[in-house]
Amino acid sequence: MSDPIKDSVEVALDLDEKEVYSHIAHESAEDIIRIISSLDAERARLHGEVIYYKDDWDDLIRERIAKGKRHTAFDFYNPALLDIWEEKVREIKEARKREKIAHAVIGALIASTAAATAILGQPYFVAGLAALPVVLFVRDITRERLDLVYYELTQFFIDELAGLVEKHSLQPERYRFKIFSGDYFGVETKRLGTGLFAVVNAGKPKSND
């Protein structure tokens, strides 16, 4: 009969103190690199790129928070994470909601002017069509806002990963992550094949080169 599978805390408790920290730091770093890639993939999609990377950053952050709360005794949970994450999610939802409302209002305006044109025989639909540029304006404004939110969240996790790697003497190369944008600070990027990958500059001056 095979031995029962232990969770991360049970495994950690079987190790000495140094190994405990190393084990949980490693697990945390692996969680973070998935979150970084997932967030940046979403940001790249905003720019119109076709991205095949599949991972739900929202679920990943929820899992990270849940693990962090279990590991609080080992100081591997950033208490600011939950507040930052919830605020950014709220901003994303509000931006998308405003965009949908604007589209609905303009759509209703075009429909009403088209109906008025059909009933009264006057070209009122021209006034409705004149509102179409507003749709593009709202879309661009929304994309810019979402891009900033995704950038800030991604940079936050890059900084958290760098702090974790430096504090617990992890090997940065072991936590290389796939990335789709080259404008983050504190990382070194390298193109491997058709993909762009990055490692954090733990203990080095921050750079986005």
Side-chain angles (χ1 to χ4, degrees), residues 71-141:
H71 295 165
T72 300
F74 300 113
D75 193 28
F76 280 87
Y77 176 56
N78 186 334
L81 174 58
L82 180 59
D83 291 339
I84 293 172
W85 169 64
E86 288 183 337
E87 174 64 20
K88 297 304 179 185
V89 170
R90 184 186 63 78
E91 289 182 33
I92 290 170
K93 289 180 178 178
E94 287 185 353
R96 293 192 185 281
K97 182 179 179 180
R98 286 194 297 268
E99 183 179 25
K100 288 180 180 178
I101 291 173
H103 288 173
V105 170
I106 293 170
L109 174 62
I110 292 174
S112 63
T113 55
T117 297
I119 295 170
L120 303 175
Q122 298 293 324
Y124 294 111
F125 71 92
V126 174
L129 294 178
L132 285 177
V134 178
V135 174
L136 299 177
F137 175 76
V138 171
R139 185 198 65 181
D140 290 344
I141 291 295

Side-chain angles (χ1 to χ4, degrees), residues 40-99:
D40 194 50
E42 195 67 28
R43 185 181 176 214
R45 291 188 186 99
L46 280 177
H47 299 164
E49 297 182 38
V50 178
I51 303 296
Y52 297 102
Y53 185 91
K54 296 290 185 182
D55 228 343
D56 189 324
W57 64 270
D58 193 19
D59 284 345
L60 289 171
I61 294 177
R62 289 177 189 275
E63 292 173 11
R64 168 83 176 116
I65 290 171
K67 284 184 179 181
K69 288 179 178 177
R70 292 177 63 201
H71 295 165
T72 300
F74 300 113
D75 193 28
F76 280 87
Y77 176 56
N78 186 334
L81 174 58
L82 180 59
D83 291 339
I84 293 172
W85 169 64
E86 288 183 337
E87 174 64 20
K88 297 304 179 185
V89 170
R90 184 186 63 78
E91 289 182 33
I92 290 170
K93 289 180 178 178
E94 287 185 353
R96 293 192 185 281
K97 182 179 179 180
R98 286 194 297 268
E99 183 179 25

Side-chain angles (χ1 to χ4, degrees), residues 151-192:
Y151 174 86
E152 290 173 339
L153 266 177
T154 305
Q155 186 66 60
F156 174 84
F157 278 101
I158 287 173
D159 293 342
E160 187 180 15
L161 176 62
L164 197 64
V165 166
E166 183 174 3
K167 181 177 180 180
H168 299 284
S169 302
L170 303 178
Q171 294 299 318
E173 295 78 11
R174 189 175 180 182
Y175 306 100
R176 183 177 64 196
F177 51 90
K178 190 171 182 61
I179 203 166
F180 306 92
S181 311
D183 58 348
Y184 297 107
F185 293 94
V187 298
E188 294 178 359
T189 58
K190 181 181 294 185
R191 188 164 294 280
L192 299 175

Side-chain angles (χ1 to χ4, degrees), residues 22-37:
S22 178
H23 170 79
I24 301 177
H26 164 73
E27 186 179 79
S28 297
E30 288 194 326
D31 289 344
I32 292 171
I33 62 176
R34 286 182 62 195
I35 293 170
I36 292 171
S37 294

